[in-house]
Amino acid sequence: MNRMGKRTTQYICQSCGAMFSKWMGQCDVCKDWNCVVEELTESKPLADNISIPDNFFETIPDTGKSQPDATRHETEMKEINRVLGGGFVDGSVILLGGNPGIGKSTLLMQLLSAIKGIEHYIYISAEESTKQVSMRAQRLKVTNDDLRIASSSNIHQILTALSEIKHNSIVVIDSIQTISSDLIQSPPGSISQVRFCTQELVNFAKNNDVIVVIVGHVTKDGAIAGPKTLEHMVDCVLYFEGDKAYDYRILRCEKNRYGSTDEIGVFAMTTEGLREVANPSSAFLSEYDDNVSGVAVFSGIEGTRPILSEIQALVSNTSNPAPRRSAIGFDPYRLSMLVAVLSNRCKLNFSNKDVYLNIAGGLKITEPAIDLAVVAAIVSSAFHRPLPQGAVFFGEVSLSGEIRQSHLSYSRIKEAQKLGFSQVICSYKTEDFDKNEKIRLRKIKSIREILGILNK
Ligand code: TYD
Ligand code: MG
């Protein structure tokens, strides 16, 4: 066993974390260019005697008699509780990712005054001075006398300052890309630094049973620096997303060791900080006008919650031999596929048409049940005719043009009814429900039937 300290030079890809013994212009693993950087790593010598504590091995408590004690701290922000599956668990490490300026620092500052029953509240910023942090806290009307803020970018200084902090505490580190260790030669933000500092913070959280929230800025392609390496080190990965042109912000869970990853939280950025959006459906439909062509309402499910959103399509003539299929908030490949299904199954000609798709409010939707709403919006725009008034759509479209059933149909229909919609256009396989309901179900088998709906 090597007990000596050692200095080594490694070449590490800043995109995927792959290590090489020599420099290269293109990473062999992820094929990204100009991302392999030389990094010096210095390993510390091992201690002579490695001691084993008495309680190194533990037994699992009998769940029948006593519940395992994973204390959860609920917050006053219901949207955060929803995303985390109940609240923060002691000793867990949460990574909050998002584009710069999207509102991560704002969210965490508000969180610190919304989480109760905590002994030590600590916010450490490596990006802003304590004055800037406290100005923001004042503007956000954060009322928490127990909150302590600090500004430091040295991980060892931070951990020494935190040495007294134990159980029942929350520490926010803003951000992982700006803190660093002197033991690592490479600059802050590099893979080695980010990985080392995260590991130190994880050890601190686990050894002291403290909740640690780490902010991570995402890179241009939407990944947190050293993405995969960081994601497996922490217990929970949250992404804060949204379009800066809109007020809406979505908190999404990418990984959660203590709950499901399906739920989303919806917020609106206001002049007084983030406000929770209790009824996202009406928020995303606020500007919906059912007299316009190219607009369809989709009744979707995010986690367990139905959310209605507005799907806008524009079909326009083009002389470009390779017409554009472009989408915001939706997978462009799926858009191309749906256009191909429409051309083939409905005999519509899109070879001289550009097709654009947008989901209003900056939402991103990945569930296949959106297909029918997308197809309806495209057809409506192509024929310059609005879809029927008060209609919502959901259903997956298969390559054969058949409309497939979607899960949680009943919740989708109920939500549409709650918001005053009068008809639902969905798959022929959707189960009937209470006949007394006022909303009408129009079940269709093939996308060809959309043309009929349009013409009436
Ligand atoms: P911030 O939390 O600093 O973003 P991040 O930490 O993700 O980089 O938020 C910055 C943006 O939020 C900035 O563009 C201004 C806006 N903002 C408001 O609109 N209202 C507010 O009350 C606050 C604090 C910020
Ligand atoms: Mg910030």
Side-chain angles (χ1 to χ4, degrees):
M1 192 193 295
N2 177 20
R3 287 176 181 273
M4 297 298 292
K6 207 165 95 180
R7 271 184 97 169
T8 45
T9 303
Q10 280 173 331
Y11 295 86
I12 304 184
C13 168
Q14 305 294 302
S15 300
C16 72
M19 285 187 233
F20 305 99
S21 56
K22 62 178 181 15
W23 185 84
M24 51 186 79
Q26 184 188 24
C27 170
D28 256 0
V29 178
C30 69
K31 307 293 177 209
D32 239 9
W33 286 92
N34 297 329
C35 54
V36 178
V37 169
E38 177 182 0
E39 293 192 6
L40 275 171
T41 48
E42 197 161 8
S43 55
K44 281 193 270 181
L46 268 180
D48 279 343
N49 337 313
I50 296 172
S51 63
I52 309 272
D54 292 343
N55 59 353
F56 185 73
F57 290 108
E58 289 184 30
T59 53
I60 299 170
D62 184 350
T63 46
K65 288 181 193 145
S66 63
Q67 283 298 317
D69 185 29
T71 329
R72 276 193 191 264
H73 296 274
E74 288 228 335
T75 77
E76 284 171 1
M77 296 170 98
K78 289 204 184 68
E79 297 294 298
I80 292 191
N81 296 340
R82 175 200 301 281
V83 174
L84 289 173
F88 288 90
V89 176
D90 271 331
S92 62
V93 182
I94 296 106
L95 180 64
L96 174 67
N99 287 319
I102 205 69
K104 302 180 292 298
S105 308
T106 309
L107 180 71
L108 291 176
M109 188 49 87
Q110 285 182 256
L111 169 75
L112 286 177
S113 71
I115 169 167
K116 296 290 178 228
I118 292 269
E119 205 171 321
H120 298 284
Y121 299 83
I122 295 183
Y123 185 102
I124 295 176
S125 179
E127 299 189 346
E128 295 165 290
S129 66
T130 47
K131 193 160 168 231
Q132 287 169 312
V133 175
S134 75
M135 266 168 59
R136 180 199 309 243
Q138 280 167 343
R139 195 167 70 243
L140 295 171
K141 302 200 174 57
V142 168
T143 47
N144 184 351
D145 299 336
D146 298 327
L147 173 61
R148 285 184 288 159
I149 54 177
S151 179
S152 169
S153 58
N154 182 324
I155 182 74
H156 304 292
Q157 188 186 38
I158 293 172
L159 289 173
T160 313
L162 293 176
S163 56
E164 294 300 303
I165 307 295
K166 296 270 172 312
H167 188 72
N168 220 9
S169 304
I170 181 165
V171 174
V172 171
I173 305 286
D174 191 356
S175 67
I176 193 68
Q177 276 99 353
T178 41
I179 59 170
S180 60
S181 160
D182 301 335
L183 294 176
I184 311 278
Q185 305 285 320
S186 47
S190 62
I191 288 261
S192 314
Q193 284 285 8
V194 164
R195 211 191 278 160
F196 177 86
C197 295
T198 306
Q199 192 56 57
E200 292 290 294
L201 290 165
V202 170
N203 293 345
F204 163 76
K206 302 292 164 200
N207 294 339
N208 300 293
D209 207 18
V210 169
I211 305 163
V212 174
V213 185
I214 303 173
V215 173
H217 294 294
V218 298
T219 53
K220 58 182 185 320
D221 46 8
I224 294 178
K228 296 299 157 218
T229 42
L230 280 201
E231 287 190 3
H232 79 247
M233 289 161 80
V234 301
D235 300 304
C236 181
V237 180
L238 303 177
Y239 279 96
F240 203 39
E241 4 174 278
D243 194 326
K244 271 193 244 167
Y246 298 96
D247 296 338
Y248 295 111
R249 303 284 182 266
I250 312 270
L251 187 65
R252 201 181 284 281
C253 189
E254 196 66 30
K255 163 182 173 178
N256 191 355
R257 282 195 182 138
Y258 309 107
S260 92
T261 54
D262 296 334
E263 301 288 347
I264 64 163
V266 184
F267 299 85
M269 181 62 94
T270 68
T271 45
E272 274 129 43
L274 291 157
R275 179 174 54 78
E276 294 184 78
V277 176
N279 190 345
S281 292
S282 48
F284 288 119
L285 289 181
S286 58
E287 289 172 48
Y288 166 65
D289 175 356
D290 61 6
N291 257 325
V292 178
S293 66
V295 177
V297 176
F298 166 53
S299 187
I301 298 280
E302 290 290 345
T304 51
R305 179 164 60 166
I307 295 186
L308 265 55
S309 50
E310 180 188 335
I311 317 298
Q312 306 162 347
L314 180 70
V315 178
S316 71
N317 291 331
T318 178
S319 51
N320 188 338
R324 295 195 66 170
R325 311 284 179 242
S326 152
I328 299 172
F330 183 68
D331 178 8
Y333 294 109
R334 193 146 188 111
L335 175 63
S336 303
M337 188 195 95
L338 292 173
V339 171
V341 175
L342 267 176
S343 324
N344 188 290
R345 306 288 167 185
C346 301
K347 304 286 173 261
L348 297 175
N349 183 8
F350 286 96
S351 63
N352 56 350
K353 310 264 192 231
D354 285 338
V355 180
Y356 300 94
L357 194 87
N358 178 37
I359 299 180
L363 265 180
K364 282 190 194 133
I365 300 180
T366 51
E367 65 158 336
I370 192 180
D371 291 353
L372 188 57
V374 170
V375 165
I378 294 174
V379 170
S380 162
S381 172
F383 288 92
H384 302 286
R385 287 203 194 139
L387 289 160
Q389 285 195 328
V392 301
F393 297 79
F394 69 87
E396 180 179 346
V397 173
S398 71
L399 288 179
S400 65
E402 188 197 40
I403 312 298
R404 299 269 182 90
Q405 206 177 357
S406 312
H407 73 301
L408 295 173
S409 305
Y410 184 63
S411 312
R412 297 174 200 263
I413 297 166
K414 287 293 275 189
E415 179 76 359
Q417 186 180 28
K418 202 170 91 192
L419 285 152
F421 285 86
S422 54
Q423 51 181 314
V424 177
I425 293 147
C426 54
S427 163
Y428 67 111
K429 287 190 174 154
T430 311
E431 275 175 37
D432 270 323
F433 65 111
D434 192 350
K435 293 272 190 276
N436 298 325
E437 301 282 6
K438 286 191 210 82
I439 198 158
R440 174 177 166 216
L441 287 197
R442 286 173 83 171
K443 301 186 191 179
I444 59 173
K445 189 167 184 184
S446 148
I447 55 168
R448 276 188 289 274
E449 291 168 61
I450 286 282
L451 301 174
I453 285 172
L454 197 62
N455 289 337
K456 269 176 206 156

